[in-house]
């Protein structure tokens, strides 16, 4: 601690460390859970006294037996993005407003994904989980349903009484991208996406396809490129798209789109003027390249807040209005999809 700086309020994590027990156990003691041994209760209460910890008033109002904890499996380092950072910040912030804390965890070395979730439940438990990265036939969904543990999922799934799901409407996003390109005079619009089988990628592909169908534009095999996501791949396909007569492309990610822009520059074509490019995610680089990359901005803050709000309603025994909620992304229009006036 910096000398002279105000002391921070002790947290439930501080009590957990001092007492040598899990956060869930501390929460159970605070909330009067009956299944706590006298010796454990004494250790926790002693730590609370030494630290001067004051439990959150909202947390103390939780139904008897609830821990006040929501579990969240941190993404692997390779999947960490600014969007997911914002998502985590908002679920922690929103959970705190309801008197809950978020318990972060990752699988231990050699541990399977489901074993990690099982381990969290065995170590004192959480009231519910927040799942991210849901895919087709996700094993976590079946595991938690069999265990009778409520959860909220960021993604698409078949909802049940104890689960809710919130997702970014990728199809609506790519439809909006196509509508924007058509309005700007583009007629041969290609799609650059991930291989079939990705729930998120398939949704974005379906929106592009629907957009072209609505505009009565031709869809051919050559207008669809589905491959592994990389900047290098985007750069490589740029010349191919131009050679085959396309005037624009909707990309499933900004990484693809930035690669296409680099590839266009390499062959002397100006993004925006000669060939329009739209990405998806609106990463920070989209605003700083020249010209700026038009991209679909994901409403991660709203997704996180909605997930927690719906999940807390489930835990409180209140019915939720929608078990599957879709939130449309917002198209940020920049120079890569517009004819640039150089006068």
């Amino acid at each position: 601690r910096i000398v002279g700086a105000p002391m921070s309020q002790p947290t439930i994590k501080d009590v957990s460390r001092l007492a040598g027990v899990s956060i869930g156990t501390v929460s159970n003691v605070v909330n009067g859970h009956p299944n706590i041994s006298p010796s454990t209760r004494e250790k926790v209460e002693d730590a609370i006294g030494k630290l001067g910890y004051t439990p959150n008033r909202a947390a103390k109002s939780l139904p008897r037996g609830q821990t006040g904890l929501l579990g969240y499996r941190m993404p692997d380092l390779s999947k960490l993005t600014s969007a997911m950072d914002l998502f985590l910040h908002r679920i922690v912030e929103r959970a705190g407003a309801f008197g809950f804390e978020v318990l972060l965890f990752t699988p231990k070395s050699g541990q399977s994904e489901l074993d990690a979730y099982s381990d969290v439940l065995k170590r004192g438990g959480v009231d519910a989980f927040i799942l991210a990265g849901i895919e087709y036939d996700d094993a976590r969904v079946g595991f938690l349903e069999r265990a009778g543990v409520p959860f909220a999922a960021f993604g698409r799934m078949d909802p049940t009484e104890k689960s809710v799901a919130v997702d970014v409407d990728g199809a609506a996003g790519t439809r909006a991208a196509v509508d924007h390109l058509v309005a700007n005079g583009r007629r041969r619009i290609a799609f650059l996406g991930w291989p079939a089988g990705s729930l998120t990628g398939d949704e974005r592909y379906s929106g592009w396809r629907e957009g072209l169908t609505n505009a009565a534009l031709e869809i051919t095999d050559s207008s669809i490129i589905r491959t592994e996501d990389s900047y290098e791949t985007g750069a490589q396909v740029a010349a191919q798209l131009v050679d085959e007569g396309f005037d624009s492309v909707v990309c499933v990610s900004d990484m693809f789109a930035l690669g296409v822009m680099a590839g266009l520059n390499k062959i002397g074509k100006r993004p925006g003027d000669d060939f329009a490019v739209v990405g998806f995610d609106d990463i920070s680089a989209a605003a700083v390249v020249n010209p700026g990359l038009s991209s679909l901005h994901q409403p991660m803050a709203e997704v996180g807040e909605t997930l927690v709000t719906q999940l807390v309603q489930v835990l409180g025994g209140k019915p939720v209005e929608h078990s599957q909620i879709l939130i449309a992304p917002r198209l940020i229009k920049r120079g890569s999809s517009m004819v640039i006036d150089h006068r």
Side-chain angles (χ1 to χ4, degrees):
R1 184 171 64 89
I2 299 175
V3 176
M7 294 187 66
S8 59
Q9 182 70 25
T11 68
I12 193 170
K13 293 180 182 178
D14 298 325
V15 176
S16 169
R17 282 192 290 267
L18 183 59
V21 299
S22 72
I23 295 175
T25 299
V26 175
S27 183
N28 283 334
V29 171
V30 169
N31 289 289
H33 198 288
N35 298 326
I36 301 292
S37 70
S39 60
T40 298
R41 187 179 301 278
E42 184 178 350
K43 283 195 297 184
V44 172
E45 290 176 345
D46 183 57
I48 288 173
K50 288 179 179 179
L51 293 170
Y53 169 69
T54 303
N56 185 297
R57 288 181 181 178
K60 285 186 71 66
S61 68
L62 293 170
R64 192 175 187 85
Q66 287 193 4
T67 66
L69 292 173
L70 306 177
Y72 176 68
R73 196 273 206 217
M74 283 289 288
D76 295 333
L77 289 175
S78 62
K79 297 180 180 179
L80 283 177
T81 64
S82 58
M84 291 309 295
D85 285 343
L86 177 59
F87 174 74
L88 174 58
H89 178 82
R90 287 306 170 93
I91 64 173
V92 170
E93 185 177 68
R94 193 66 169 174
F98 287 111
F100 286 83
E101 295 195 39
V102 178
L103 175 66
L104 304 178
F105 68 97
T106 58
K108 299 174 184 176
S109 178
Q111 191 176 46
S112 73
E113 192 76 15
L114 294 187
D115 284 343
Y117 281 83
S118 179
D119 194 36
V120 170
L121 293 174
K122 290 176 182 176
R123 286 190 287 109
V126 295
D127 296 324
F129 286 96
I130 296 171
L131 308 181
I134 288 290
E135 286 292 347
Y136 297 122
D137 300 320
D138 198 299
R140 295 172 297 173
V141 171
F143 170 78
L144 294 176
E145 287 179 342
R146 289 190 296 273
V149 180
F151 61 90
F154 177 16
R156 305 289 179 92
M157 52 168 285
D158 293 324
T160 66
E161 291 182 359
K162 290 191 174 182
S163 68
V164 293
V166 181
D167 197 18
V168 174
D169 193 342
T174 48
R175 280 198 307 273
V178 170
D179 291 346
H180 164 63
L181 293 172
V182 171
N184 279 273
R186 309 293 177 171
R187 291 296 178 268
R188 295 213 63 207
I189 306 169
F191 176 80
L192 178 55
W194 304 316
S198 158
L199 192 154
T200 300
D202 291 349
E203 282 290 316
R204 295 178 187 181
Y205 166 72
S206 69
W208 165 84
R209 193 174 187 94
E210 185 177 344
L212 263 68
T213 300
N214 292 342
L217 296 179
E218 183 182 19
I219 298 173
T220 64
D221 290 343
S222 62
S223 61
I224 304 165
I225 301 175
R226 305 192 72 171
T227 182
E228 297 301 325
D229 194 351
S230 75
Y231 178 91
E232 292 75 19
T233 300
Q236 290 168 7
V237 304
Q240 173 187 335
L241 293 172
V242 171
D243 289 344
E244 292 182 357
F246 293 100
D247 57 25
S248 52
V249 64
V250 174
C251 300
V252 79
S253 74
D254 283 350
M255 194 59 64
F256 267 149
L258 291 169
V260 170
M261 289 176 67
L264 291 171
N265 286 323
K266 189 175 181 179
I267 61 175
K269 298 294 183 180
R270 295 188 302 272
D273 280 343
D274 301 321
F275 190 97
V277 183
V278 179
F280 205 117
D281 291 332
D282 193 31
I283 63 176
S284 55
V288 299
V289 293
N290 186 23
L293 171 63
S294 295
S295 185
L296 288 147
H297 180 81
Q298 297 209 61
M300 301 300 285
E302 188 178 353
V303 169
E305 292 172 359
T306 304
L307 269 177
V308 173
T309 300
Q310 295 286 304
L311 185 54
V312 169
Q313 286 185 349
V314 170
L315 290 172
K318 301 176 183 177
V320 292
E321 292 184 10
H322 307 284
S323 50
Q324 175 73 70
I325 299 172
L326 297 179
I327 303 175
R330 180 167 54 97
L331 177 62
I332 308 298
K333 301 173 185 177
R334 301 189 179 100
S336 72
S337 64
M338 315 282 282
V339 175
I340 303 169
D341 187 352
H342 293 283
R343 290 176 296 175

